[in-house]
């Protein structure tokens, strides 16, 4: 507790002197809850934390020296200067991250707890959060799922009475005990300023959870002495209130007990002196350490991909035929057989066999690894993030790509950024399978093509296959990839038939394919629109127009080399995609052509895509709204005439 207190006091001083950049949230006054909660944990156990996470990290065993360097934005920092105060993590010590998003660590804890349960080695996860976090949907979804599956997780609420500037009375209509009961969680309350009480409670709770007793909600009543953040004017609470809580200083309470039990004053003074000397040295070392260079910026975004060569496979004329839906199932089956740490989770993904029957039959083989979840997309994405950090290989389903909005934080701020913010330490090999597709009058909330939204996020890989064979080869590669992959299928193609590749068929991620050679113009497309582009190219051929067609296969990272090489040959570029025109992937490809392929262009770059409106419901409107082979054909013919 002295280590946490002195560390935080020095950070406050350094922040005032402008040596610590960014936001800083200190845990002075809450030392006992952090130390007591981590007291019974093993190195192999996991914690998730929040923006006020310095104390949790120190209590779990992270050394103060690299933490101080991290706060001073140095290359020797815990996360190489890429995380900062709110994002300190060390997965090797079971510290899956402080987090700048309120309650975001709770679903991640669920994923880590699922990994512990599947491995059956008695691992436990403690998820730290403040009282304000229980108002977040992420907390509700994660708590509900943990209770349903009896996951080995402790929900540890440090109730310091305030959610940012708002007192608890203004935030919650019921007490924490009632909330815990509503989720079916065992509930324990404890004086969060009494480290012995917290340690005793947590020793018992962790033992019960470790033995399979299911999740527990622990509420520790405590108080933060400083404001919500350093520099907070603190107009929302009185000095008398602060003074009253400072009379219950956890360090003073513990020091008095130790003196009463015969520990000498000199010994306690020596402990404090040792801590202060260590923190002084940590500050001095951090000040002397170099800042990070741009190399770490780029090397931390993606883990190195395994080399996957383009396979030399030509379908036999009388070879076996299969459907895209078969390709999905067989790819999942192959990876589940090859990797005992792989699991599949999602709404109706297990017993129900998926809403499109894509996983039918897999549950019978792997009932413990085909997991039906509640309709809780944030919790499901948290399973992927936490499971991946724990070293599992999660494949989770997002039933419709349109549902991205209800779970976007776990993708945008967690899956895509945790490897980066930990300086490359966090493992993040996971797959999010989803589907999209207009043309079935599904309306504006079930027809969107949102790949450009995802492709704009550094850290994500976005894959969109166009054939059954590509679906199989790309999905197997995606599951083996050490990076978060969003795998987007087109539901109109689930019944599409095509040649079945060999069982060991893998395709490289990030590599486009020229699926039709041509000389007069290049048509770049992806997913179902590739087939529309191919049909247009066939229709153009009798008119003397030779169109080369590129199937991107992977939208991000974009295979720039293949596009530019084709453009150098044909000198004209047409892009066709199902996402709306404005700010779509076509704009990025056009920018590539104008910037890096400018001197090879003989005509303006053209795009064929839906107009920038939501997808209509009426069949006649949707037919006009969606691009097709005829619209591609007309655009290509106009382009070659320029």
């Amino acid at each position: 507790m002295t280590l946490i207190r002195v560390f935080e006091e020095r950070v406050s001083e350094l922040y005032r002197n402008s040596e610590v950049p960014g936001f800083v949230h200190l845990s002075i006054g809450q030392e006992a809850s952090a130390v007591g909660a981590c007291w019974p944990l093993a190195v192999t156990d996991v914690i998730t934390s929040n923006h006020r996470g310095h104390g949790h990290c120190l209590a779990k065993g992270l050394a103060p020296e690299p933490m101080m360097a991290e706060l001073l934005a140095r290359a020797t920092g815990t996360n190489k200067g890429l995380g900062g105060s709110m994002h300190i993590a060390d997965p090797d010590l079971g510290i899956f991250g402080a987090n700048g998003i309120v309650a975001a660590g709770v679903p991640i804890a669920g994923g880590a707890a699922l990994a512990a349960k599947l491995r059956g080695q008695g691992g436990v996860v403690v998820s730290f959060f403040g009282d304000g976090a229980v108002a977040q949907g992420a907390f509700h979804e994660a708590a509900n799922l943990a209770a349903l599956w009896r996951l080995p997780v402790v929900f540890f609420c440090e109730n310091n009475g305030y959610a940012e500037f708002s007192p608890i009375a203004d935030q919650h209509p019921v007490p924490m005990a009632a909330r815990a009961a509503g989720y079916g969680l065992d509930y324990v309350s404890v004086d969060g300023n009494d480290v012995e009480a917290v340690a005793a409670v947590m020793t018992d709770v962790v033992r019960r959870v470790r033995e399979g007793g299911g999740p527990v909600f622990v509420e520790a009543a405590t108080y933060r002495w400083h404001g919500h953040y350093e520099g907070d004017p603190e107009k929302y609470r009185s000095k008398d209130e602060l003074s009253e809580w400072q009379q219950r200083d956890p360090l003073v309470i513990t020091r008095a007990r130790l003196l009463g039990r015969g520990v000498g004053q000199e010994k306690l003074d020596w402990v404090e002196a040792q801590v202060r000397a260590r923190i002084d040295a940590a500050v001095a070392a951090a000040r002397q350490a170099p800042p990070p260079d741009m190399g770490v910026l780029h090397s931390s975004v993606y883990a190195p991909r395994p080399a996957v060569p383009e396979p030399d496979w030509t379908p036999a004329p009388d070879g076996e035929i299969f459907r895209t839906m078969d390709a999905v199932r067989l790819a999942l089956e192959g990876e589940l057989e090859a990797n005992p740490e792989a699991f599949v989770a999602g709404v109706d993904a297990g017993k129900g066999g998926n809403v499109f029957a894509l996983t039918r039959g897999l549950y019978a083989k792997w009932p413990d690894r085909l997991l039906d979840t509640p309709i809780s997309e944030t919790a499901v994405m948290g399973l992927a993030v936490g499971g991946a950090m724990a070293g599992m290989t999660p494949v989770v389903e997002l039933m419709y790509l349109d549902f991205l909005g209800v779970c976007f934080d776990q993708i945008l701020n967690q899956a895509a950024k945790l490897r980066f913010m930990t300086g490359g330490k966090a493992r993040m090999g996971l797959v999010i399978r989803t589907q999209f597709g207009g043309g079935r009058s599904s309306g504006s909330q079930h027809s969107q093509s949102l790949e450009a939204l995802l492709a704009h996020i550094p850290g994500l890989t976005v894959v969109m296959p166009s054939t059954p064979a590509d679906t199989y080869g790309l999905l197997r590669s995606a599951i083996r990839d050490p990076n978060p992959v969003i795998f987007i299928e087109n539901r109109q193609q689930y019944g599409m038939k095509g040649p079945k590749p060999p069982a060991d068929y893998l395709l490289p991620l990030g590599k486009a394919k020229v699926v039709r050679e041509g000389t007069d113009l290049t048509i770049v497309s992806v997913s179902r629109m590739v087939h529309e582009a191919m049909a247009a190219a066939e229709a153009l051929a009798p008119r003397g127009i030779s169109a080369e067609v590129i199937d991107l296969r992977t939208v991000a990272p974009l295979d720039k080399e293949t596009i530019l090489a084709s453009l150098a040959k044909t000198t004209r570029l047409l892009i066709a995609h199902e996402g709306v025109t404005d700010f779509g992937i076509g704009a990025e490809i056009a920018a590539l052509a104008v910037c890096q392929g400018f001197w090879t262009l003989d005509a303006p770059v053209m795009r064929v895509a839906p107009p920038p409106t939501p997808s209509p419901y009426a069949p006649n409107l949707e037919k006009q709204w969606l691009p097709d082979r005829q619209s591609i054909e007309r655009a290509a013919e106009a382009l070659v005439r320029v």
Side-chain angles (χ1 to χ4, degrees):
M1 289 193 294
T2 302
L3 181 66
I4 296 170
R5 174 68 61 84
V6 174
F7 182 92
E8 297 285 64
E9 288 174 343
R10 287 303 301 276
V11 171
S12 179
E13 175 189 323
L14 292 165
Y15 181 82
R16 287 196 304 271
N17 294 338
S18 300
E19 293 188 69
V20 175
F23 296 111
V24 172
H25 308 77
L26 301 182
S27 58
I28 295 173
Q30 299 184 187
E31 297 87 353
S33 59
V35 171
C38 291
W39 191 255
L41 299 182
V43 173
T44 51
D45 292 325
V46 169
I47 68 168
T48 63
S49 182
N50 56 12
H51 52 277
R52 201 177 311 284
H54 302 166
H56 308 141
C57 295
L58 289 165
K60 186 62 168 65
L62 189 54
E65 290 82 4
M67 281 183 62
M68 190 63 75
E70 182 65 29
L71 290 171
L72 268 64
R74 297 299 198 265
T76 54
T78 309
N79 304 337
K80 301 179 183 178
L82 297 177
S85 174
M86 289 191 288
H87 310 115
I88 291 175
D90 190 342
D92 293 339
L93 292 176
I95 301 168
F96 279 16
N99 209 298
I101 309 298
V102 174
V106 187
I108 295 171
L114 174 62
K117 182 175 182 178
L118 290 175
R119 286 173 173 150
Q121 297 172 354
V124 170
V125 180
V126 175
S127 183
F128 289 100
F129 52 90
D131 48 285
V134 300
Q136 284 276 8
F139 171 80
H140 166 82
E141 292 189 22
N144 181 68
L145 183 61
L148 182 69
W149 288 356
R150 297 187 64 77
L151 295 178
V153 59
V154 180
F155 297 106
F156 195 94
C157 177
E158 292 178 302
N159 189 342
N160 60 26
Y162 288 91
E164 296 195 359
F165 302 163
S166 300
I168 191 169
D170 295 345
Q171 296 282 304
H172 306 293
V174 298
M176 299 296 171
R179 285 187 179 271
Y183 301 121
L185 299 171
D186 287 344
Y187 169 83
V188 181
S189 63
V190 65
D191 181 354
N193 282 19
D194 184 338
V195 70
E196 289 183 287
V198 179
V201 161
M202 283 297 288
T203 297
D204 177 63
V205 165
V206 168
R207 176 189 57 78
R208 285 191 281 138
V209 171
R210 206 181 294 281
E211 292 174 355
V216 177
F217 187 109
V218 176
E219 180 183 10
T222 184
Y223 197 80
R224 53 172 164 84
W225 290 12
H226 285 216
H228 170 59
Y229 57 86
E230 290 300 279
D232 177 357
E234 299 185 65
K235 295 180 179 180
Y236 49 88
R237 63 183 185 181
S238 68
K239 292 182 178 179
D240 288 344
E241 180 182 288
L242 174 59
S243 178
E244 181 182 341
W245 274 96
Q246 287 177 330
Q247 301 306 309
R248 298 168 57 191
D249 183 344
L251 272 74
V252 172
I253 292 171
T254 307
R255 189 181 187 96
R257 285 181 182 169
L258 291 170
L259 289 169
R261 293 171 187 172
V263 178
Q265 179 77 38
E266 300 80 8
K267 178 65 173 176
L268 297 178
D269 291 344
W270 178 85
V271 168
E272 183 171 340
Q274 290 293 107
V275 167
R276 291 193 179 279
R278 185 176 183 185
I279 297 302
D280 285 344
V283 172
R287 284 170 169 163
Q288 294 299 315
D293 60 29
M294 288 295 290
V296 72
L297 186 72
H298 297 291
S299 65
S300 300
V301 181
Y302 294 96
R305 298 188 190 279
V308 177
E310 189 75 36
D312 183 16
W313 171 66
T314 302
D318 57 348
E320 188 176 355
I321 300 297
F322 75 153
R323 300 167 299 176
T324 297
M325 61 189 302
D326 303 322
V328 173
R329 187 189 71 257
L330 291 171
L332 293 173
E333 185 175 47
E335 292 306 308
L336 287 165
E337 286 178 345
N339 182 359
E341 300 249 276
F343 67 85
V344 175
V347 178
D348 295 323
K351 295 177 184 177
N354 174 273
V355 68
F356 298 103
L358 302 177
T359 58
R360 188 170 293 170
L362 300 183
Y363 178 83
K365 291 184 178 181
W366 298 285
D368 295 332
R369 292 199 281 150
L370 265 291
L371 306 172
D372 285 316
T373 69
I375 302 175
S376 303
E377 285 84 0
T378 290
V380 173
M381 298 304 118
L383 291 177
V385 175
M389 290 188 78
M392 302 290 284
T393 305
V395 182
V396 298
E397 291 191 1
L398 181 62
M399 187 181 291
Y400 282 79
L401 181 56
D402 311 70
F403 300 167
L404 186 68
V406 297
C407 59
F408 199 33
D409 173 69
Q410 288 292 319
I411 300 171
L412 167 71
N413 286 319
Q414 311 305 324
K417 292 184 175 64
L418 283 175
R419 184 180 194 277
F420 178 81
M421 291 192 304
T422 58
K425 288 184 179 180
R427 290 171 289 190
M428 204 48 62
L430 61 91
V431 173
I432 300 169
R433 277 193 50 256
T434 188
Q435 56 79 32
F436 82 109
R440 292 190 174 182
S441 291
S442 298
S444 298
Q445 295 179 345
H446 284 73
S447 305
Q448 297 169 89
S449 184
L450 301 174
E451 68 280 355
L453 184 65
L454 294 161
H456 188 68
I457 302 168
L460 297 182
T461 296
V462 183
V463 177
M464 300 179 73
S466 66
T467 68
D470 282 7
T471 300
Y472 178 85
L474 289 168
L475 183 53
R476 294 204 71 169
S477 291
I479 296 171
R480 297 183 182 196
D481 197 81
N483 298 287
V485 179
I486 315 295
F487 196 89
I488 306 173
E489 302 145 10
N490 190 299
R491 65 177 174 272
Q492 295 231 51
Q493 294 185 292
Y494 282 143
M496 174 185 285
K497 296 179 180 180
K500 183 180 180 182
D504 60 354
Y505 188 71
L506 297 174
L507 287 174
L509 302 184
K511 182 65 178 174
K513 183 178 182 180
V514 177
V515 292
R516 189 184 193 280
E517 299 279 352
T519 56
D520 295 329
L521 82 156
T522 297
I523 305 176
V524 176
S525 193
V526 72
S527 189
R528 186 183 69 85
M529 292 304 296
V530 170
H531 302 282
E532 299 299 301
M534 289 287 284
E538 292 296 325
L540 291 166
R543 297 175 228 170
I545 300 173
S546 174
E548 182 152 298
V549 179
I550 295 176
D551 181 354
L552 289 177
R553 302 195 298 195
T554 301
V555 172
L558 185 65
D559 183 356
K560 300 176 181 180
E561 291 76 14
T562 296
I563 296 170
L564 292 171
S566 178
L567 180 58
K569 178 172 66 172
T570 68
T571 74
R572 286 170 168 79
L573 179 62
L574 175 65
I575 307 145
H577 55 75
E578 197 164 321
V580 297
T581 310
D582 293 19
F583 306 100
I585 61 171
E588 179 63 28
I589 297 169
L592 170 70
V594 171
C595 180
Q596 297 185 38
F598 178 79
W599 299 109
T600 63
L601 281 171
D602 283 343
V605 177
M606 294 183 66
R607 291 175 288 168
V608 175
T613 72
S615 174
Y617 163 72
N620 67 307
L621 293 179
E622 188 177 33
K623 181 175 176 58
Q624 296 177 63
W625 183 81
L626 272 175
D628 57 16
R629 59 194 65 188
Q630 286 78 26
S631 54
I632 296 173
E633 183 182 336
R634 289 192 297 271
E637 195 164 26
L639 184 59
V640 296
R641 291 175 181 166
V642 175

